Amino acid sequence: MKKVVLNDIAVSLGVSKALVSMVLNHQGDKNGISKATQEKVWLKARELNYIPNHIARGLRLGKSMMIGLIVPDIANIFFSRIARIIEDITNKAGYNLIISSSDENIERELQLIRKFTERQVDGLIVATTQSNKTEFLQLKRDGFPIVLIDRSLNINDIDYIGVDNTAGSFNAVNHLIDEGYRKIALLKPGPSHLKNLRDRETGFRKALKNAGIRINERFIREIPFTNLDAKAEDELKDLVKLGADAIFAINNRLAVSTLQFARKNNINIPEELGLITFDDHDLFEIGHPTVSAVSQPVAQIAEAAANKLLDKLRLNKPETLVQHFLLSTQFIPRESSAHFKHKAEASLKLFEIN
């Protein structure tokens, strides 16, 4: 069977091969081709079962038309949402997105970066696990387009999009304090060198200090990423024995572990144990109890990262227009942090009024 080429589509529609090429390369709008004409080209391409030759196109353009995305764990809803939005944006620009998880493993991430560059992806978006800047500085020197998200390495000349983790945590812990909780514990995943996690812990400590609450180091627990669920249960058992009356989970996975622990051990949230998480989740709105959360602007992070990298690829100047975006979080109070004492006081006042 003869392979369908661009000229076949052009002849069947009575248009030029150049016009067909522009439409199928997602350049129709840019070149003033009407939506109706673009739709006809796409329909005819599907009708004739046209299969684009991405290798030939890449050779012609000097690009692979592939972008790499490396995140710690694509199963985490925060990163899966980011990945989906980045995929949609880059796909519209004619790129294919390849996604890999580093599992918070430094060596695995380095291997992924090298595999991606060896496969000649045109650029990378990375939520890094690295503890130093060496690999990214080398990529920068090589003129390789890269954007960091979520985790910053404080590299001034590499683009970064993230949130103000310190302020987000500070506001969340302040809420717990305002609700009457005093023995507040922090659950954090490893590795501990990650700047976003360190900033969240800074916000936690700052809120306690500002409220005049002594920081009990025994209430701060780091849980290894590789054994997170089982180890979280052990740490939560110990924290409850020590008298912790609230948990600030530094990510949504640890919040889920806390909910599972509480249910398994018949611990009532928020009456016996308050809970707030950094990173929201759809299920936190509909479960019982609903879970208070620091919500990150996922769409803004993803859109800024994708568009920033695409700008670099369009300009073919990865060293230009370097920017650092630090976006604001939103604290969403729900049932899990409404202190029982406050509920009791409110009920008593209502009784007295009646």
Side-chain angles (χ1 to χ4, degrees):
M1 184 176 178
K2 181 190 171 189
K3 183 179 179 182
V4 177
V5 295
L6 292 178
N7 195 57
D8 296 324
I9 301 171
V11 169
S12 64
L13 290 173
V15 297
S16 71
K17 180 180 173 181
L19 182 144
V20 173
S21 177
M22 284 186 282
V23 171
L24 296 182
N25 284 313
H26 303 273
Q27 300 296 313
D29 291 338
K30 181 179 177 182
N31 288 281
I33 300 169
S34 73
K35 294 291 186 185
T37 300
Q38 290 186 56
E39 183 64 20
K40 287 179 183 178
V41 171
W42 284 110
L43 286 172
K44 182 58 67 173
R46 284 193 285 270
E47 178 189 323
L48 297 177
N49 197 28
Y50 170 71
I51 300 172
N53 187 336
H54 292 294
I55 295 174
R57 181 175 181 236
L59 290 171
R60 186 170 66 253
L61 298 175
K63 294 180 178 181
S64 68
M65 302 310 294
M66 294 188 294
I67 288 172
L69 171 65
I70 301 173
V71 297
D73 182 9
I74 195 60
N76 185 311
I77 193 169
F78 172 72
F79 292 113
S80 61
R81 283 176 170 173
I82 283 178
R84 182 55 207 249
I85 295 168
I86 290 175
E87 183 177 29
D88 287 344
I89 294 171
T90 54
N91 186 255
K92 285 178 182 176
Y95 288 88
N96 291 312
L97 185 70
I98 306 173
I99 306 167
S100 286
S101 297
S102 67
D103 296 329
E104 298 286 16
N105 183 296
I106 291 174
E107 285 305 314
R108 176 170 167 75
E109 184 184 298
L110 289 175
Q111 290 171 6
L112 289 171
I113 291 172
R114 287 159 193 165
K115 282 181 181 178
F116 277 143
T117 53
E118 285 168 6
R119 292 181 184 181
Q120 298 183 324
V121 297
D122 295 323
L124 276 174
I125 298 173
V126 184
T128 185
T129 301
Q130 299 303 304
S131 56
N132 65 62
K133 311 172 183 180
T134 305
E135 189 73 16
F136 295 104
L137 289 174
Q138 185 58 55
L139 289 171
K140 179 70 177 179
R141 284 192 290 270
D142 292 342
F144 188 83
I146 187 164
V147 175
L148 296 178
I149 59 169
D150 190 47
R151 291 99 179 268
S152 168
L153 286 173
N154 290 327
I155 306 175
N156 292 331
D157 50 357
I158 290 181
D159 293 277
Y160 166 70
I161 295 97
V163 301
D164 190 336
N165 288 286
T166 302
S169 289
F170 180 83
N171 293 335
V173 178
N174 259 344
H175 170 77
L176 286 172
I177 294 167
D178 289 343
E179 287 292 320
Y181 295 100
R182 290 297 179 268
K183 296 179 180 179
I184 306 169
L186 174 73
L187 281 186
K188 60 179 181 176
S192 58
H193 65 261
L194 297 175
K195 189 175 186 303
N196 61 334
L197 302 187
R198 287 190 285 112
D199 287 348
R200 291 175 194 179
E201 183 175 340
T202 296
F204 168 84
R205 291 176 176 274
K206 184 179 176 182
L208 293 180
K209 184 177 179 181
N210 281 11
I213 299 173
R214 185 178 66 86
I215 297 171
N216 186 342
E217 297 297 334
R218 296 175 70 190
F219 278 12
I220 299 175
R221 302 296 175 94
E222 180 178 331
I223 301 169
F225 178 85
T226 52
N227 192 27
L228 193 141
D229 295 324
K231 187 64 175 173
E233 183 174 359
D234 293 338
E235 297 291 355
L236 284 161
K237 282 180 183 176
D238 194 41
L239 288 168
V240 169
K241 285 180 182 177
L242 289 172
D245 62 4
I247 301 294
F248 178 47
I250 222 165
N251 70 9
N252 55 33
R253 188 173 165 189
L254 286 170
V256 171
S257 294
T258 304
L259 290 169
Q260 291 170 335
F261 167 79
R263 180 165 297 179
K264 181 178 178 180
N265 292 276
N266 296 315
I267 295 172
N268 294 318
I269 293 176
E271 293 87 349
E272 297 174 276
L273 188 68
L275 173 64
I276 290 181
T277 177
F278 204 111
D279 284 346
D280 203 4
H281 193 298
D282 291 342
L283 295 177
F284 292 161
E285 294 184 73
I286 59 176
H288 179 70
T290 56
V291 179
S292 301
V294 179
S295 177
Q296 300 194 66
V298 174
Q300 283 182 267
I301 294 169
E303 288 166 7
N307 289 324
K308 174 55 65 176
L309 187 62
L310 289 173
D311 283 345
K312 290 179 175 296
L313 295 174
R314 289 188 194 104
L315 292 169
N316 201 27
K317 292 181 179 180
E319 74 280 0
T320 61
L321 300 174
V322 173
Q323 293 176 297
H324 286 199
F325 292 98
L326 200 61
L327 305 172
S328 297
T329 59
Q330 178 188 5
F331 176 65
I332 304 173
R334 298 189 182 112
E335 294 170 349
S336 69
S337 60
H339 200 283
F340 180 71
K341 289 179 181 177
H342 282 234
K343 286 185 176 181
E345 289 171 2
S347 297
L348 182 60
K349 287 178 182 177
L350 184 63
F351 177 77
E352 288 173 348
I353 291 170
N354 292 336

CSV table of all heavy atoms in Angstrom, one decimal, residues 150 160-171 195-196 199-200 202-203 206 278 294-297 301 325-330:
chain,number,residue,atom,x,y,z
A,150,ASP,N,8.9,23.4,41.2
A,150,ASP,CA,8.7,22.9,42.6
A,150,ASP,C,9.9,23.0,43.5
A,150,ASP,O,9.7,23.5,44.6
A,150,ASP,CB,8.2,21.5,42.5
A,150,ASP,CG,7.6,21.0,43.8
A,150,ASP,OD1,6.9,21.7,44.5
A,150,ASP,OD2,8.0,19.9,44.3
A,160,TYR,N,13.0,29.0,37.1
A,160,TYR,CA,12.4,28.3,38.1
A,160,TYR,C,11.0,28.8,38.4
A,160,TYR,O,10.7,30.0,38.4
A,160,TYR,CB,13.2,28.4,39.4
A,160,TYR,CG,12.5,27.9,40.7
A,160,TYR,CD1,12.2,26.6,40.9
A,160,TYR,CD2,12.0,28.8,41.6
A,160,TYR,CE1,11.5,26.2,42.0
A,160,TYR,CE2,11.3,28.4,42.7
A,160,TYR,CZ,11.1,27.1,42.9
A,160,TYR,OH,10.4,26.6,44.0
A,161,ILE,N,10.1,27.8,38.5
A,161,ILE,CA,8.7,28.1,38.9
A,161,ILE,C,8.3,27.3,40.1
A,161,ILE,O,8.4,26.1,40.1
A,161,ILE,CB,7.7,27.9,37.7
A,161,ILE,CG1,8.0,28.8,36.5
A,161,ILE,CG2,6.3,28.1,38.2
A,161,ILE,CD1,8.8,28.1,35.5
A,162,GLY,N,7.9,28.0,41.2
A,162,GLY,CA,7.5,27.3,42.4
A,162,GLY,C,6.6,28.2,43.2
A,162,GLY,O,6.0,29.2,42.7
A,163,VAL,N,6.4,27.9,44.5
A,163,VAL,CA,5.6,28.6,45.4
A,163,VAL,C,6.3,29.1,46.6
A,163,VAL,O,7.4,28.6,46.9
A,163,VAL,CB,4.3,27.8,45.8
A,163,VAL,CG1,3.5,27.4,44.6
A,163,VAL,CG2,4.7,26.6,46.7
A,164,ASP,N,5.7,30.0,47.4
A,164,ASP,CA,6.3,30.5,48.6
A,164,ASP,C,5.9,29.4,49.7
A,164,ASP,O,4.9,29.5,50.4
A,164,ASP,CB,5.7,31.8,49.0
A,164,ASP,CG,6.5,32.5,50.2
A,164,ASP,OD1,7.1,31.7,51.0
A,164,ASP,OD2,6.4,33.7,50.3
A,165,ASN,N,6.8,28.4,49.8
A,165,ASN,CA,6.5,27.3,50.8
A,165,ASN,C,6.5,27.8,52.2
A,165,ASN,O,5.8,27.3,53.1
A,165,ASN,CB,7.6,26.2,50.6
A,165,ASN,CG,7.3,25.4,49.3
A,165,ASN,OD1,6.4,24.6,49.2
A,165,ASN,ND2,8.2,25.7,48.3
A,166,THR,N,7.4,28.7,52.6
A,166,THR,CA,7.5,29.2,53.9
A,166,THR,C,6.2,29.9,54.4
A,166,THR,O,5.7,29.6,55.4
A,166,THR,CB,8.7,30.2,54.1
A,166,THR,OG1,9.9,29.5,53.7
A,166,THR,CG2,8.8,30.6,55.5
A,167,ALA,N,5.7,30.8,53.5
A,167,ALA,CA,4.5,31.5,53.9
A,167,ALA,C,3.3,30.5,54.0
A,167,ALA,O,2.4,30.6,54.8
A,167,ALA,CB,4.2,32.6,52.9
A,168,GLY,N,3.3,29.6,53.0
A,168,GLY,CA,2.2,28.6,53.0
A,168,GLY,C,2.1,27.8,54.3
A,168,GLY,O,1.0,27.6,54.9
A,169,SER,N,3.3,27.3,54.8
A,169,SER,CA,3.3,26.5,56.0
A,169,SER,C,3.0,27.4,57.2
A,169,SER,O,2.3,27.0,58.1
A,169,SER,CB,4.7,25.9,56.2
A,169,SER,OG,4.9,24.9,55.3
A,170,PHE,N,3.6,28.6,57.2
A,170,PHE,CA,3.3,29.5,58.3
A,170,PHE,C,1.8,29.8,58.5
A,170,PHE,O,1.3,29.7,59.7
A,170,PHE,CB,4.1,30.9,58.0
A,170,PHE,CG,3.9,31.9,59.1
A,170,PHE,CD1,4.7,31.9,60.2
A,170,PHE,CD2,3.0,32.9,59.0
A,170,PHE,CE1,4.6,32.8,61.2
A,170,PHE,CE2,2.8,33.9,60.0
A,170,PHE,CZ,3.6,33.8,61.1
A,171,ASN,N,1.1,30.0,57.5
A,171,ASN,CA,-0.3,30.3,57.6
A,171,ASN,C,-1.1,29.1,58.1
A,171,ASN,O,-2.0,29.2,58.8
A,171,ASN,CB,-0.9,30.7,56.2
A,171,ASN,CG,-0.3,32.1,55.8
A,171,ASN,OD1,0.1,32.9,56.6
A,171,ASN,ND2,-0.3,32.3,54.5
A,195,LYS,N,14.9,21.9,49.0
A,195,LYS,CA,14.6,23.2,49.5
A,195,LYS,C,13.2,23.5,49.8
A,195,LYS,O,12.8,24.2,50.7
A,195,LYS,CB,15.1,24.3,48.5
A,195,LYS,CG,15.1,25.7,49.0
A,195,LYS,CD,15.7,26.7,48.1
A,195,LYS,CE,15.7,28.1,48.7
A,195,LYS,NZ,14.4,28.6,49.2
A,196,ASN,N,12.3,22.9,49.0
A,196,ASN,CA,10.8,23.2,49.2
A,196,ASN,C,10.4,22.6,50.6
A,196,ASN,O,9.6,23.2,51.3
A,196,ASN,CB,10.0,22.6,48.1
A,196,ASN,CG,10.1,21.1,47.9
A,196,ASN,OD1,11.1,20.5,48.3
A,196,ASN,ND2,9.0,20.5,47.4
A,199,ASP,N,11.9,24.8,53.4
A,199,ASP,CA,11.2,26.0,53.5
A,199,ASP,C,9.8,25.8,54.2
A,199,ASP,O,9.4,26.6,55.0
A,199,ASP,CB,10.9,26.6,52.1
A,199,ASP,CG,12.1,27.2,51.5
A,199,ASP,OD1,13.1,27.4,52.2
A,199,ASP,OD2,12.1,27.5,50.3
A,200,ARG,N,9.2,24.6,54.0
A,200,ARG,CA,8.0,24.3,54.7
A,200,ARG,C,8.3,24.1,56.2
A,200,ARG,O,7.5,24.6,57.0
A,200,ARG,CB,7.3,23.1,54.1
A,200,ARG,CG,6.8,23.3,52.7
A,200,ARG,CD,6.2,22.1,52.0
A,200,ARG,NE,6.0,22.3,50.6
A,200,ARG,CZ,5.6,21.4,49.7
A,200,ARG,NH1,5.3,20.2,50.2
A,200,ARG,NH2,5.5,21.7,48.5
A,202,THR,N,10.7,25.6,57.8
A,202,THR,CA,11.0,26.9,58.3
A,202,THR,C,9.7,27.6,58.7
A,202,THR,O,9.6,28.3,59.7
A,202,THR,CB,11.7,27.7,57.2
A,202,THR,OG1,13.0,27.1,57.0
A,202,THR,CG2,12.0,29.1,57.7
A,203,GLY,N,8.7,27.5,57.8
A,203,GLY,CA,7.4,28.2,58.1
A,203,GLY,C,6.7,27.6,59.3
A,203,GLY,O,6.1,28.3,60.2
A,206,LYS,N,8.7,28.9,62.4
A,206,LYS,CA,8.4,30.3,62.6
A,206,LYS,C,7.1,30.6,63.2
A,206,LYS,O,7.0,31.4,64.1
A,206,LYS,CB,8.5,31.0,61.2
A,206,LYS,CG,8.4,32.5,61.2
A,206,LYS,CD,8.5,33.1,59.8
A,206,LYS,CE,8.2,34.6,59.8
A,206,LYS,NZ,8.3,35.2,58.5
A,278,PHE,N,0.0,20.1,53.4
A,278,PHE,CA,0.5,20.9,52.3
A,278,PHE,C,0.3,20.1,51.0
A,278,PHE,O,0.9,19.0,50.9
A,278,PHE,CB,2.0,21.2,52.5
A,278,PHE,CG,2.5,22.5,51.8
A,278,PHE,CD1,2.8,23.6,52.6
A,278,PHE,CD2,2.5,22.6,50.5
A,278,PHE,CE1,3.2,24.8,52.0
A,278,PHE,CE2,2.9,23.8,49.8
A,278,PHE,CZ,3.3,24.9,50.6
A,294,VAL,N,-3.1,23.3,52.3
A,294,VAL,CA,-2.4,24.4,51.6
A,294,VAL,C,-2.5,24.0,50.2
A,294,VAL,O,-1.9,23.1,49.7
A,294,VAL,CB,-1.0,24.6,52.1
A,294,VAL,CG1,-0.3,25.7,51.3
A,294,VAL,CG2,-0.9,24.9,53.6
A,295,SER,N,-3.2,24.8,49.4
A,295,SER,CA,-3.4,24.5,48.0
A,295,SER,C,-2.4,25.3,47.1
A,295,SER,O,-2.2,26.5,47.3
A,295,SER,CB,-4.8,24.9,47.5
A,295,SER,OG,-5.0,24.6,46.2
A,296,GLN,N,-1.7,24.5,46.2
A,296,GLN,CA,-0.8,25.2,45.3
A,296,GLN,C,-1.4,25.4,44.0
A,296,GLN,O,-2.3,24.7,43.5
A,296,GLN,CB,0.4,24.2,45.1
A,296,GLN,CG,1.2,23.9,46.4
A,296,GLN,CD,2.6,23.3,46.0
A,296,GLN,OE1,3.4,23.9,45.5
A,296,GLN,NE2,2.7,22.0,46.4
A,297,PRO,N,-1.0,26.5,43.3
A,297,PRO,CA,-1.6,26.9,42.0
A,297,PRO,C,-1.1,26.0,40.9
A,297,PRO,O,-0.2,26.4,40.1
A,297,PRO,CB,-1.2,28.3,41.8
A,297,PRO,CG,0.1,28.5,42.5
A,297,PRO,CD,0.0,27.5,43.7
A,301,ILE,N,1.6,26.9,37.7
A,301,ILE,CA,3.0,26.3,37.7
A,301,ILE,C,3.2,25.6,36.4
A,301,ILE,O,4.3,25.8,35.7
A,301,ILE,CB,3.2,25.3,38.9
A,301,ILE,CG1,3.1,26.1,40.2
A,301,ILE,CG2,4.5,24.6,38.8
A,301,ILE,CD1,3.1,25.1,41.4
A,325,PHE,N,9.8,32.5,39.2
A,325,PHE,CA,8.4,32.8,39.6
A,325,PHE,C,8.2,32.1,40.9
A,325,PHE,O,8.3,30.9,41.1
A,325,PHE,CB,7.4,32.2,38.6
A,325,PHE,CG,7.4,32.9,37.2
A,325,PHE,CD1,8.1,32.3,36.2
A,325,PHE,CD2,6.7,34.1,37.0
A,325,PHE,CE1,8.2,32.9,34.9
A,325,PHE,CE2,6.8,34.7,35.8
A,325,PHE,CZ,7.5,34.1,34.7
A,326,LEU,N,7.8,32.9,41.9
A,326,LEU,CA,7.4,32.4,43.2
A,326,LEU,C,6.0,32.8,43.5
A,326,LEU,O,5.6,33.9,43.8
A,326,LEU,CB,8.3,33.1,44.3
A,326,LEU,CG,8.4,32.3,45.7
A,326,LEU,CD1,9.0,30.9,45.5
A,326,LEU,CD2,9.2,33.1,46.7
A,327,LEU,N,5.1,31.8,43.3
A,327,LEU,CA,3.7,32.0,43.3
A,327,LEU,C,3.1,31.8,44.8
A,327,LEU,O,3.7,31.1,45.6
A,327,LEU,CB,3.0,31.0,42.4
A,327,LEU,CG,3.5,31.0,40.9
A,327,LEU,CD1,2.9,29.9,40.1
A,327,LEU,CD2,3.2,32.4,40.3
A,328,SER,N,2.0,32.4,45.0
A,328,SER,CA,1.3,32.3,46.3
A,328,SER,C,0.5,31.0,46.4
A,328,SER,O,-0.1,30.6,45.5
A,328,SER,CB,0.4,33.5,46.6
A,328,SER,OG,1.2,34.7,46.6
A,329,THR,N,0.4,30.5,47.7
A,329,THR,CA,-0.5,29.4,48.0
A,329,THR,C,-1.8,29.9,48.6
A,329,THR,O,-1.9,31.1,48.9
A,329,THR,CB,0.2,28.4,49.0
A,329,THR,OG1,0.5,29.2,50.2
A,329,THR,CG2,1.5,27.9,48.4
A,330,GLN,N,-2.7,29.0,48.7
A,330,GLN,CA,-4.0,29.4,49.3
A,330,GLN,C,-4.3,28.4,50.4
A,330,GLN,O,-4.3,27.1,50.2
A,330,GLN,CB,-5.1,29.4,48.3
A,330,GLN,CG,-6.5,29.7,48.9
A,330,GLN,CD,-7.6,29.5,48.0
A,330,GLN,OE1,-7.4,29.0,46.8
A,330,GLN,NE2,-8.8,29.9,48.4
